[in-house]
Amino acid sequence: MSYQPSKRGKQLIKEARIKKIEQARKDRIKEKGWIEPGWDVEEIFLKEASKILEPHPDWDNVESYAVSLSTWRRFKEGKRINCTNFQVFCQVLNLNWEEIKENEADTNKDLSEAPPLARFYGRIQELAELQQHIITQNCRLVTVYGMGGVGKSALVRHLVERNEIANRYDFVIWLPLQSAPPFSETLIKLVQCLSRCKQETGNCEQETGNIEQIMQHLHRQRCLIVLDGWEEIIDNHSEDYTNYNLFVERVAKEFHKSCLLLLSRRRPKNIEILEGQFVYSKRLGGLTYKDAQEFLKAEGLSGTDSEIEELSRRYNNPWILRRIVGSITSVFGGDISNFMTLSIFVDEVTTDFLDGQFQALSQAEINLIYWVAIRRNTALWNQLLQDSRQLLTDSHLLQTLNDLINRHSLLDKNIEEIPVVYILDPVILKYSTKRFIFKTCEQIKQVFTTGVINGSELFITHNFITEYPKDEELNQEQIRRIVKPIQQALLAQFRSQQHLETELNKVISLLESQGYTSKNISHLLSACE
């Protein structure tokens, strides 16, 4: 028989070990006056355990002990070991082994690779919806998707801790897919968990697994399996991708009382096809204003009600909001008044984070985000048709809009306006504008250097100042937020306005009639005046 510590037991082991090491150091210094180099602190535990296991030998003068260092390491890492050694190690640490070992319910719940439980705000409606589809409607396949940082893992982590969920299933297993593990590796982990078999014991029935084995377990027992990071599998168009999808399709189509929960930054197209009575997809958006305000107040920020409300409207992505809270606490001591005088704040770490989101987009999707950003969150369908006419057909525009809204969750729509207005989250609007300015400057500089234009440059495909319909207030904002920053970035390189104007005129002569080139360069020349 073998035991392993529960989650709480692991923490108690860690604390007891640290306490014993500290005491041993004090005793060593008291006895010898110093700690000699090379002193192996782990020998303390091996020696004391050996004295319990075999009391007679003189364990103070031996080279090996009654229990191995590797067994001790497995114990302190929370892995399964022989029950006798488990009890002895607990005795060495002055712990009650019965309180440390995991019980049967713990054995059938493998959340060792799940994110830790953290403070959680709001999402009451989302939790209720997921619980209803899993328990009441017996969904076999549930997908929770949304942009990175929105809180998918945190939401589902709290979901599986609910008694209604935990008591329903014989097994609860959480596996991360962020490193896109081979399908065979995921299968082996599932077989081991569902067979109550841990790899480190060496008692596994077999070293391989197949889909049929997993499906037999799902038929015989109620299992809840969470696969976190499904977007990594979507991006892997290999045999592994095919096998993962075959597994998902079988889970969705075959009759059983188990549930597979997929967490993804994007809505998988193949799963969208399967949606129906037993397959459900939930898009997770940003925090509501009320939930964001609850989060801000719980974090100890101070400010007027109107300031807290405005801050919650600017930042609703939990990951980004935590960074904002950290900055306000660090710089302003938690007082948001001075921070609110700044424009939307996007630091380097947030920029890198959003760069990762954009890497999954097609060029058409990125271009469409730029068109919405240029129109400063006032874009209508007919205006986007006009802006994109050089690159996208009507049907392509429709599909791209749909993907950005429903698959990537990076674009939204204001349905309170008639007609519908397409909008970006304030942080994404700020990031997209900065990205557009940077990319445009790089492309113009490249043309200055090579004298070659390939036709897909942003200053050709995107009008810096929109003309349809004529909107003087919007045009002034476009000059201030797009034209001027591009002109100033170029001027910073040339340091001579005359030199810059000469180079810009060369660009017009290279490609005067294509796209928005002439108009955009003219806008930049006007900004030089």
Side-chain angles (χ1 to χ4, degrees):
M1 184 180 294
S2 59
Y3 296 150
Q4 72 179 59
S6 64
K7 183 177 181 180
R8 179 172 178 273
K10 292 177 187 177
Q11 183 61 32
L12 292 174
I13 289 170
K14 180 180 179 181
E15 292 172 358
R17 178 176 174 272
I18 292 173
K19 183 178 180 181
K20 196 169 185 71
I21 290 173
E22 288 175 351
Q23 185 59 50
R25 289 183 183 277
K26 290 178 182 178
D27 294 343
R28 200 81 170 181
I29 293 173
K30 185 176 181 180
E31 177 187 352
K32 296 180 174 292
W34 64 304
I35 300 291
E36 62 270 34
W39 179 51
D40 187 356
V41 71
E42 305 297 348
E43 283 192 358
I44 301 169
F45 306 98
L46 298 180
K47 186 182 298 183
E48 290 194 24
S50 297
K51 289 178 179 179
I52 297 171
L53 287 167
E54 299 179 19
H56 300 297
D58 180 8
W59 293 110
D60 292 320
N61 300 293
V62 296
E63 294 183 358
S64 61
Y65 296 96
V67 62
S68 69
L69 178 60
S70 61
T71 301
W72 164 249
R73 283 175 176 164
R74 287 202 301 274
F75 171 76
K76 70 178 184 179
E77 291 169 2
K79 297 178 180 179
R80 187 175 295 275
I81 64 171
N82 175 278
C83 61
T84 301
N85 290 333
F86 185 92
Q87 293 170 357
V88 167
F89 286 143
C90 287
Q91 184 177 340
V92 169
L93 294 172
N94 297 316
L95 298 171
N96 183 340
W97 67 269
E98 292 179 317
E99 295 178 357
I100 299 302
K101 78 179 186 70
E102 67 178 5
N103 56 37
E104 185 175 355
D106 292 326
T107 303
N108 295 347
K109 180 189 288 188
D110 189 346
L111 299 177
S112 59
E113 296 187 86
L117 278 170
R119 281 182 292 182
F120 193 70
Y121 305 94
R123 302 294 198 192
I124 295 173
Q125 182 180 344
E126 291 90 340
L127 284 169
E129 285 180 19
L130 290 171
Q131 184 171 305
Q132 178 189 356
H133 281 87
I134 291 173
I135 294 180
T136 307
Q137 298 183 219
N138 295 310
C139 282
R140 303 163 189 159
L141 175 62
V142 174
T143 304
V144 179
Y145 68 98
M147 75 168 287
V150 82
K152 300 178 293 294
S153 299
L155 174 71
V156 174
R157 183 68 177 85
H158 280 264
L159 177 71
V160 301
E161 290 293 333
R162 285 191 159 192
N163 290 334
E164 297 88 344
I165 297 290
N167 295 337
R168 176 182 175 86
Y169 293 101
D170 302 313
F171 289 88
V172 179
I173 302 167
W174 188 300
L175 295 179
L177 301 177
Q178 277 77 9
S179 59
F183 183 63
S184 58
E185 181 180 313
T186 299
L187 276 180
I188 290 172
K189 285 185 177 181
L190 287 174
V191 169
Q192 291 172 354
C193 292
L194 294 172
S195 302
R196 299 186 187 181
C197 163
K198 306 294 183 181
Q199 190 173 14
E200 60 264 25
T201 65
N203 296 323
C204 295
E205 295 175 1
Q206 57 186 51
E207 294 298 327
T208 61
N210 57 57
I211 294 177
E212 191 61 40
Q213 280 180 283
I214 303 299
M215 293 310 301
Q216 287 175 10
H217 282 290
L218 300 189
H219 285 291
R220 288 198 305 261
Q221 301 152 133
R222 290 177 181 266
C223 308
L224 176 63
I225 300 171
V226 181
L227 298 182
D228 189 357
W230 188 253
E231 71 278 355
E232 297 291 339
I233 306 304
I234 296 174
D235 293 337
N236 183 9
H237 297 288
S238 63
E239 184 179 351
D240 280 315
Y241 172 78
T242 303
N243 289 330
Y244 271 109
N245 281 323
L246 178 61
F247 169 55
V248 168
E249 288 181 15
R250 289 195 60 176
V251 170
K253 294 178 179 179
E254 295 185 18
F255 177 79
H256 54 79
K257 294 296 180 69
S258 296
C259 179
L260 176 62
L261 248 168
L262 303 180
L263 311 186
S264 178
R265 290 187 175 184
R266 302 195 299 286
R267 188 181 190 181
K269 287 184 177 180
N270 62 316
I271 293 175
E272 189 176 348
I273 297 171
L274 298 171
E275 289 174 11
Q277 182 180 0
F278 297 108
V279 179
Y280 172 67
S281 291
K282 172 65 180 176
R283 179 192 176 193
L284 193 63
L287 293 173
T288 64
Y289 298 146
K290 182 179 178 181
D291 290 346
Q293 288 178 53
E294 178 189 347
F295 172 84
L296 293 171
K297 290 179 180 179
E299 290 295 318
L301 298 191
S302 60
T304 66
D305 289 343
S306 61
E307 287 172 338
I308 291 177
E309 181 179 353
E310 177 59 26
L311 186 63
S312 68
R313 290 178 182 275
R314 291 186 185 182
Y315 308 96
N316 60 22
N317 180 296
W319 184 88
I320 294 175
L321 195 56
R322 283 191 177 88
R323 290 198 55 75
I324 296 299
V325 168
S327 297
I328 294 173
T329 301
S330 175
V331 178
F332 301 114
D335 183 353
I336 69 174
S337 300
N338 289 326
F339 182 81
M340 294 307 295
T341 63
L342 306 175
S343 61
I344 300 296
F345 182 67
V346 181
D347 63 7
E348 290 184 7
V349 175
T350 303
T351 297
D352 291 342
F353 169 72
L354 291 173
D355 282 343
Q357 309 287 308
F358 269 55
Q359 284 177 3
L361 301 179
S362 67
Q363 190 57 52
E365 290 165 339
I366 294 174
N367 281 335
L368 183 49
I369 286 178
Y370 289 155
W371 282 312
V372 174
I374 289 171
R375 287 195 174 270
R376 314 309 300 165
N377 277 356
T378 66
L380 307 178
W381 166 257
N382 287 337
Q383 294 169 357
L384 292 176
L385 276 175
Q386 180 76 12
D387 294 340
S388 64
R389 68 186 187 277
Q390 298 178 44
L391 296 182
L392 302 178
T393 63
D394 295 6
S395 59
H396 193 186
L397 174 62
L398 178 64
Q399 182 62 55
T400 306
L401 269 173
N402 184 64
D403 286 346
L404 283 172
I405 294 170
N406 290 319
R407 288 193 64 229
H408 299 287
S409 303
L410 289 172
L411 188 65
D412 212 334
K413 55 188 183 294
N414 184 354
I415 57 176
E416 295 179 1
E417 299 283 344
I418 299 177
V420 170
V421 175
Y422 300 100
I423 58 176
L424 295 165
D425 170 271
V427 172
I428 298 177
L429 175 61
K430 178 71 172 283
Y431 163 82
S432 303
T433 303
K434 290 175 63 177
R435 181 186 173 103
F436 177 79
I437 291 167
F438 175 79
K439 295 289 186 183
T440 300
C441 287
E442 290 298 301
Q443 291 172 357
I444 292 175
K445 291 174 187 176
Q446 182 69 19
V447 173
F448 288 167
T449 302
T450 64
V452 176
I453 296 178
N454 62 36
S456 62
E457 289 84 358
L458 293 174
F459 62 84
I460 295 177
T461 59
H462 291 70
N463 199 356
F464 297 166
I465 301 178
T466 54
E467 300 174 346
Y468 174 77
K470 190 67 177 177
D471 186 331
E472 186 62 32
E473 184 178 346
L474 173 62
N475 292 161
Q476 287 301 316
E477 185 174 1
Q478 290 166 337
I479 291 172
R480 186 172 70 255
R481 295 189 182 276
I482 297 171
V483 177
K484 275 290 187 182
I486 292 174
Q487 182 263 337
Q488 289 169 0
L490 295 173
L491 185 59
Q493 178 177 348
F494 288 97
R495 301 186 181 184
S496 164
Q497 191 159 295
Q498 184 176 358
H499 187 188
L500 175 59
E501 290 177 8
T502 301
E503 293 296 328
L504 290 172
N505 281 311
K506 286 181 183 178
V507 175
I508 293 180
S509 65
L510 283 171
L511 201 56
E512 185 171 351
S513 61
Q514 186 166 339
Y516 295 110
T517 305
S518 180
K519 293 178 181 178
N520 286 333
I521 300 301
S522 296
H523 294 321
L524 292 175
L525 287 168
S526 296
C528 291
E529 297 174 359

